[in-house]
Amino acid sequence: MAAQAKVVLVAGARPNFVKLAPLYKAIKDEGRLRPFIVHTGQHYDHTMSGSFFSDLEIPVPDANLDVGPGSHAVQTGTIMMRFESLLPKLEARCVVVFGDVNSTIACALVAAKQGIPVAHVEAGLRSNDWTMPEEINRVLTDRLSNRLYTPTRDASNNLLREGIPSERIVFAGNIMVDTLRAHLPTIDHGSVLRQYGVEARRYVLVTLHRPSNVDDADTFGELWRALNRAARDEVVLFPVHPRTRATLKRLEPPAPGSRLRLSEPLPYRTFLALLANARVVLTDSGGVQEETTALGIPCVTARPNTERPITITEGTNRLVPPGDAQQLVIALQEADGYRGRIPDLWDGRTAERIAHDLGKRCDEW
Ligand code: UD1
């Protein structure tokens, strides 16, 4: 039997780990390729990284670039320098990058310049908002990629419009849904709800971490007002991202008796249980917009735009301007009426399709 070709899977930040887990397993099961995991270290706290590896049963990374915190240039540049010296030693057939974080563009750029084919999982998403660091990462990563796996048909169409040859594009479906479907039935939902003192469909779950929402005290002030207002009527659970923690320190704490409850960032399975049982979710995360659509849970997204329009046209998502507390509160109150359907190929088999295609492709590369 021929030696298995090595495929490098790069992950750096929390949403990457959720996408890597099913592909790692599917590549192992498919058998033609040997996965090698590189963790860039973009996220490094246990709550942002280690807990995801254990919850999602991802093995300890084969290499860790340990970049840690820094400005965009420092973080992206440090990942590039460290990946540039590691990659030639790996004799990789291909490098797979996920999503739109700084680790994604940094490693795609290094691989492309070393002439190693790049495959991008979650290609083609576009907010058309060039002020978002992720949008810059998305466009550039797609331009550098030899194989582009899209989660939706509209994402494939975005790539075609930008002149990417159609033979490079594969509509593979949403890989996060694979992780969600694998874990949902194995979670003890009742015990998570008891642990957080909430009843199914009687609380709001919140995640906010976009720089445009949380770094600016005025915008975050409106969001904070909306949360405090909503917490007069029902429990509001808010696991706080490290970036958001800094802004929170400058705001008034919740009033005595408020039902607004803050926590550390949650492990994947705990968060999924709370997501699946919420009445409504308020978020600015890309992944959470998709997970709520996959679960049929109403979602209010505090952003002016989304790179995931299918969550609105087919799913349960609504966009609300983050700088208007009153509109946010009304959207949360009306959310019970948000209904949707599950988009095509959000079926739990995306990783299998990608692993199969990648196996064939790597024979040619
Ligand atoms: C990054 C991604 C974003 C993704 C988010 C998910 C980019 C450009 N952004 O944003 O798309 O939605 O991750 O979480 O890649 N910090 C810690 N511990 C950690 C990680 C970060 O304390 O484990 C702190 C950093 O020191 C920094 C802040 O959190 O102060 C921001 O982290 P960073 O990784 O720069 O960006 P995110 O906001 O997490």
Side-chain angles (χ1 to χ4, degrees), residues 15 42-45 48 69 72 101-102 134 209 241-243:
Q42 178 175 340
H43 284 174
Y44 44 88
D45 283 357
M48 299 294 288
H72 282 271
V101 301
N102 288 339
E134 293 83 359
H209 74 280
H241 185 281
R243 176 185 282 282

Side-chain angles (χ1 to χ4, degrees), residues 8-73:
V8 173
L9 306 179
V10 175
R14 186 169 62 175
N16 287 166
F17 310 137
V18 183
K19 295 161 198 165
L20 180 144
L23 188 59
Y24 175 84
K25 183 172 180 306
I27 289 174
K28 288 278 249 196
D29 291 348
E30 211 262 348
R32 263 189 287 191
L33 301 172
R34 188 155 46 100
F36 182 100
I37 299 176
V38 174
H39 189 328
T40 65
Q42 178 175 340
H43 284 174
Y44 44 88
D45 283 357
H46 179 73
T47 54
M48 299 294 288
S49 172
S51 83
F52 281 73
F53 276 74
S54 47
D55 248 22
L56 302 175
E57 297 174 0
I58 310 171
V60 176
D62 299 288
N64 196 321
L65 306 180
D66 281 322
V67 291
S71 67
H72 282 271

Side-chain angles (χ1 to χ4, degrees), residues 64-143:
N64 196 321
L65 306 180
D66 281 322
V67 291
S71 67
H72 282 271
V74 167
Q75 198 168 60
T76 311
T78 310
I79 296 169
M80 286 183 67
M81 288 192 289
R82 296 189 184 167
F83 193 54
E84 184 179 59
S85 43
L86 172 71
L87 189 55
K89 298 177 197 144
L90 301 183
E91 297 182 6
R93 186 69 59 83
C94 155
V95 171
V96 179
V97 295
F98 300 85
D100 55 17
V101 301
N102 288 339
S103 304
T104 310
I105 176 62
C107 294
L109 193 48
V110 168
K113 290 204 171 174
Q114 291 188 13
I116 299 182
V118 176
H120 185 201
V121 176
E122 198 185 83
L125 298 184
R126 297 290 181 266
S127 65
N128 299 308
D129 177 354
W130 205 246
T131 64
M132 272 182 97
E134 293 83 359
E135 182 72 357
I136 298 170
N137 294 343
R138 289 180 199 118
V139 172
L140 299 182
T141 302
D142 285 339
R143 189 67 189 80

Side-chain angles (χ1 to χ4, degrees), residues 233-289:
D233 302 329
E234 60 194 325
V235 174
V236 176
L237 292 183
F238 184 10
V240 182
H241 185 281
R243 176 185 282 282
T244 313
R245 213 182 291 143
T247 312
L248 262 184
K249 286 195 191 119
R250 303 199 291 269
L251 295 169
E252 288 275 314
S258 165
R259 283 185 277 176
L260 177 53
R261 297 191 202 151
L262 309 183
S263 77
E264 289 297 306
L266 300 174
Y268 177 78
R269 286 165 60 84
T270 309
F271 184 74
L272 182 56
L274 292 171
L275 196 63
N277 291 284
R279 181 183 70 77
V280 54
V281 177
L282 172 65
T283 193
D284 59 10
S285 148
V288 173
Q289 292 174 61

